[in-house]
């Protein structure tokens, strides 16, 4: 099994890689996707590890919670990742939409950012092989909310191309949610969202649709955050489709 490692910042640069272990000293499971953010607002960055690979039901799992994919959170501390404070989120977690099924890919393409400007980092993740009804691998994305107790299923919601006002239609092998990126709606690319004193902060969520456009990704940009007037507006500009909640 591969290992998770971290490199601590020092005045002289990064330290040598240190392995993240479980409380019993064994190696902590790594993943295929990683995000960093303060999901419990304690001042320390937390590791959000996406583990979408469940072996497609063709191999025996040493962790039954890997079925369908999972997200592992390792909380940060003054000394670095604190293995004694970990959380596992799956589609079987209370209030998380969906259910854990083989090869869903939940935990893929982790993206971390504060989508509702409450000071807690939230997590977006794709489950790009999610079947929707009888539509194979249409894909969906899920947003998990950070809070006082860290990342939980409380307030979680999912979107797919059959969701109202989301552009397109869920079709076979769309793999919607295969890549997600939370962006600052006004200053794209910044890791920390800044907001005006009198205007709620908003974030955009980019979701390519590789199955729909095999030679180029079209980025469906979903703007998340505080509703301002209870209305939603859909617009298209230069190949980008935006769902904006005002």
């Amino acid at each position: 099994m591969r290992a998770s490692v971290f490199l601590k910042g020092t005045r002289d640069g990064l330290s040598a890689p240190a392995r993240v272990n479980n409380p019993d000293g064994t190696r902590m499971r790594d993943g295929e996707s990683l995000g960093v953010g303060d999901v419990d607002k304690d001042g320390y960055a937390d590791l959000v590890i996406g583990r979408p690979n469940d072996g497609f039901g063709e191999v025996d799992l040493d962790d039954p919670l890997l079925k369908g994919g999972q997200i592992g959170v390792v909380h940060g501390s003054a000394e670095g990742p604190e293995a004694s404070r970990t959380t596992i989120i799956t589609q079987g977690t209370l209030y998380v939409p969906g259910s854990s099924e083989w090869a869903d890919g939940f935990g893929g393409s982790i993206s971390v950012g504060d989508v509702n400007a409450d000071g807690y980092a939230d997590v977006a993740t794709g489950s790009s092989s999610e079947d929707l009804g009888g539509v194979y691998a249409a894909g969906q994305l899920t947003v998990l909310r950070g809070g006082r107790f860290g990342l939980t299923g409380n307030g979680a919601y999912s979107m797919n191309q059959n969701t109202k006002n989301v552009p397109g239609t869920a079709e076979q092998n769309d793999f919607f949610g295969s890549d997600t990126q939370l962006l600052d709606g006004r200053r794209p690319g910044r890791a920390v969202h800044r907001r005006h004193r009198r205007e709620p902060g908003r974030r955009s969520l980019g979701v390519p649709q590789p199955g729909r456009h095999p030679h180029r990704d079209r980025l469906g940009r979903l703007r998340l955050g505080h509703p301002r007037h209870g209305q939603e507006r859909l617009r298209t500009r230069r190949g980008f489709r935006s769902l904006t909640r005002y």
Side-chain angles (χ1 to χ4, degrees):
M1 183 176 68
R2 298 173 299 181
S4 297
V5 300
F6 80 101
L7 288 76
K8 191 173 183 178
T10 71
R11 66 175 61 187
D12 298 318
L14 294 175
S15 68
R19 195 170 68 184
V20 182
N21 290 329
N22 294 310
D24 62 1
T26 59
R27 287 185 296 178
M28 178 170 291
R29 185 183 303 278
D30 72 342
E32 288 70 44
S33 184
L34 177 68
V36 179
D38 190 358
V39 299
D40 56 1
K41 204 165 66 172
D42 64 354
Y44 298 105
D46 309 306
L47 301 182
V48 183
I49 306 172
R51 300 163 179 152
N53 187 2
D54 63 2
F56 306 100
E58 298 177 354
V59 297
D60 293 331
L61 298 178
D62 57 358
D63 179 2
L65 292 179
L66 276 176
K67 180 181 178 180
Q70 68 174 224
I71 294 173
V73 179
V74 184
H75 290 271
S77 71
E79 302 303 320
E82 188 176 350
S84 61
R85 297 178 60 221
T86 61
T87 303
I88 298 294
I89 304 287
T90 74
Q91 286 184 291
T93 299
L94 186 64
Y95 303 129
V96 175
S99 58
S100 297
E101 300 169 323
W102 291 114
D104 275 350
F106 181 79
S109 185
I110 294 293
S111 182
V112 181
D114 184 1
V115 302
N116 58 350
D118 64 354
Y120 296 98
D122 308 301
V123 175
T125 181
S127 47
S128 60
S129 296
E130 185 87 31
D131 297 342
L132 300 176
V135 183
Y136 175 77
Q140 74 175 17
L141 64 91
T142 301
V143 176
L144 303 167
R145 294 287 178 80
R148 178 182 175 187
F149 301 105
L151 200 67
T152 68
N154 189 32
Y157 57 93
S158 64
M159 291 177 280
N160 59 67
Q161 288 185 283
N162 285 340
T163 301
K164 184 179 179 180
N165 294 326
V166 173
T169 302
E171 298 173 331
Q172 180 173 321
N173 293 330
D174 270 355
F175 302 112
F176 182 79
S178 61
D179 192 14
T180 69
Q181 186 176 8
L182 287 170
L183 305 172
D184 188 307
R186 287 171 296 178
R187 304 188 67 176
R190 290 190 66 88
V192 179
H193 180 70
R194 294 184 177 181
R195 71 182 207 182
H196 192 278
R197 284 183 297 176
R198 297 183 180 179
E199 181 179 357
R202 292 173 293 174
R203 280 188 175 268
S204 298
L205 177 60
V207 190
Q209 305 167 42
R212 184 175 297 274
H213 301 282
H215 301 297
R216 62 182 177 88
D217 287 340
R218 171 167 291 181
L219 186 68
R221 184 167 290 181
L222 307 176
R223 195 173 298 280
L224 310 175
H226 291 300
R228 294 183 63 190
H229 303 299
Q231 298 177 350
E232 296 181 340
R233 183 173 67 185
L234 179 66
R235 62 185 178 183
T236 302
R237 182 167 68 95
R238 295 181 182 178
F240 291 86
R241 296 180 178 181
S242 298
L243 172 66
T244 304
R245 294 180 179 177
Y246 289 103

